[in-house]
Amino acid sequence: MRNPDIFNGKNVTVFGLHRSGVAVTKLLVALGATVTVTDSRDSADLSAEIERLEQISHQRTVTLYLGGHPEACIVEAALIVVSPGVPLDIPILCQARSQGIPILGELEFAASVCPAPIVAITGTKGKSTTTLLTAAILEAGRRFENVCVAGNIGVPLAAEVQNLTCKDIVVLEASSFQLESTVTFRPSVSVVLNISPDHLDRHGTMSAYAKAKEKICANQNATDWIVLNACDKRVAGFATMIRARPIYFHPSSCPEEVPAGGGARRQGTYLQNDENGNLCLFGNIASATAYTAVPDKKPQFLCYVKDIPLPGAHNVRNTLAAAAVGLILGVTPSQIRTGVQGLNRAHPAFKHAFEQVLTVNEVQFIDDSKATNVDSVKSALESIPAPDERKTVLLIMGGYDKGNDYTPLLALVKKKVKKVVMLGIHTQRIQKALEAHTDILPVTTMGEAVCVAYQHSGPGDVVLLSPANASFDMYTDYKARGNAFKEAVYALQS
């Protein structure tokens, strides 16, 4: 563990008592800190979290301030650690900042004491899938004693660092909420999949959201690596600011087609346009573990598209990114294919992510509740074929709008969507954007949404829950929304 002694005896206040807050508190106690925890929710809403804290409080007293953030919670603080869900501009944190109290996010704190190298993966869409694909590939490569999956995917890094050594590796899903509060965070390998509008309710502007993503590589140097999407202009633009060595994945073009002035963009992973759908390596990657790929300009086969146990063109892109990480870290092409084929589809992160639910009277039902932004809905629609140019999709949308722009969906809606079933009360922006291109059917419950979609469907059609919005208007999270969809589909079947 790096720098563990700097927290011994230090007064630290933790903001937010969810998974991250509990994990941070437990780690701080183990490091000898005196901990204060504060949360805007009251004790009735935090009973499970409080019970977890009581299990560690015998080691050192933990002071709690619940139902708000009184000034007393920062009076003696030498450091503040903020959970990802806590906005950094709330008044009490602004006051602490004006008093010179350092404020770190959970990711920054945990990474500062993590002994294992970190692969950090971010993007608007595909983070969880790419994280799990990368972990599967690294496990197949057997170059590390343990491959730890952590971060936004469900397990805070703070919960894992005490179990890690320098012989392990962490594959970390990093959200914009986690990255925006980093200061010295430096992964050995960073991955930027894509950047499109999301979380504008939190970040305010697209520029601020992109800047949060950029922090994933801000502290990397020439001994580190970064994997970039060559076909995303915002992501490819990172090349002008990075010091890390870039490797590209090319989702829709062969590196040979990149102009000679493209430099490093002429090497990386790509999808070969042939009948087999080969994923290949083009160029020369001298990896951190001394594995050297084939000479430049001689493509090397990695795996077939049919080897990927996940549907959709977006998952080809995710696999290309994960394969690039594997090559950097010394995994051979044959091991990459083994890792991709052996991906564990049972992981909770795959639930509600373009998940096939049932087929009822030749109508297919797909749960894509995890699609909380426009780019995710776009990928879902792209993954559904349009036989004979016939519209086949009944699309269920709606929820808590995070400041979305729906115009990127227009072409696909016109081509593939028969009807849009609009669920929720905050749907005016979606309706205004789409009503000229398809019929809008407003509903008030998920059960009604499924029934209405089914009533307007026919054999060969697809009922797709892909909301483009957060779930907080009606549900606790996207999982609860997805489960409600599944229950309604099962009820329809019965």
Side-chain angles (χ1 to χ4, degrees), residues 172-407:
L172 179 94
E173 179 185 333
S175 71
S176 60
F177 292 2
Q178 292 170 314
L179 290 169
E180 70 175 340
S181 57
T182 56
V183 180
T184 63
F185 176 62
R186 178 190 158 196
S188 298
V189 182
S190 61
V191 180
V192 187
L193 299 170
N194 43 62
I195 299 179
S196 59
D198 197 11
H199 299 300
L200 300 188
D201 57 326
R202 164 85 172 245
H203 296 291
T205 66
M206 186 61 199
S207 175
Y209 174 60
K211 285 186 180 301
K213 295 291 190 183
E214 290 169 9
K215 297 187 81 171
I216 196 169
C217 57
N219 298 304
Q220 288 188 293
N221 62 32
T223 65
D224 303 317
W225 292 84
I226 184 167
V227 177
L228 298 172
N229 184 343
C231 296
D232 185 306
K233 290 183 179 179
R234 284 194 180 95
V235 174
F238 276 42
T240 62
M241 68 183 80
I242 57 173
R243 288 167 288 180
R245 292 170 284 181
I247 292 296
Y248 292 81
F249 65 100
H250 300 73
S252 60
S253 64
C254 174
E256 293 175 288
E257 299 168 6
V258 174
R265 285 183 62 197
R266 291 175 63 85
Q267 65 178 12
T269 56
Y270 73 102
L271 177 64
Q272 200 169 50
N273 293 321
D274 60 20
E275 65 277 7
N276 294 319
N278 297 342
L279 276 65
C280 296
L281 163 66
F282 182 87
N284 182 29
I285 301 177
S287 78
T289 49
Y291 166 72
T292 303
V294 295
D296 193 12
K297 297 187 179 179
K298 184 181 178 182
Q300 185 165 0
F301 170 77
L302 299 175
C303 69
Y304 295 116
V305 169
K306 65 183 180 183
D307 291 325
I308 304 171
L310 301 166
H314 57 293
N315 284 315
V316 175
R317 298 192 287 267
N318 297 335
T319 305
L320 289 167
V325 176
L327 291 165
I328 289 168
L329 294 175
V331 183
T332 67
S334 63
Q335 290 170 333
I336 287 173
R337 187 182 185 194
T338 299
V340 171
Q341 291 173 324
L343 179 70
N344 177 18
R345 288 292 309 277
H347 193 281
F350 291 125
K351 290 186 178 298
H352 315 297
F354 206 75
E355 182 184 2
Q356 316 291 319
V357 180
L358 278 178
T359 298
V360 181
N361 292 332
E362 299 183 56
V363 177
Q364 187 179 10
F365 290 82
I366 298 176
D367 172 11
D368 197 34
S369 180
K370 200 173 183 180
T372 58
N373 56 63
V374 171
D375 200 44
S376 296
V377 180
K378 186 170 181 284
S379 292
L381 290 173
E382 288 172 342
S383 299
I384 298 173
D388 304 319
E389 298 300 313
R390 181 173 67 87
K391 293 185 177 184
T392 60
V393 179
L394 288 303
L395 177 61
I396 302 175
M397 295 183 71
Y400 172 74
D401 193 306
K402 298 178 287 183
N404 290 335
D405 173 15
Y406 298 97
T407 54

Side-chain angles (χ1 to χ4, degrees), residues 2 7 24 79-82 103-114 118 157-158 172 177-186 215 219:
R2 297 181 295 171
F7 299 101
V24 166
L79 174 69
I80 290 171
V81 181
V82 181
I103 300 173
L104 305 178
E106 177 267 334
L107 175 57
E108 172 75 16
F109 161 65
S112 73
V113 294
C114 179
I118 295 173
L157 180 58
L172 179 94
F177 292 2
Q178 292 170 314
L179 290 169
E180 70 175 340
S181 57
T182 56
V183 180
T184 63
F185 176 62
R186 178 190 158 196
K215 297 187 81 171
N219 298 304

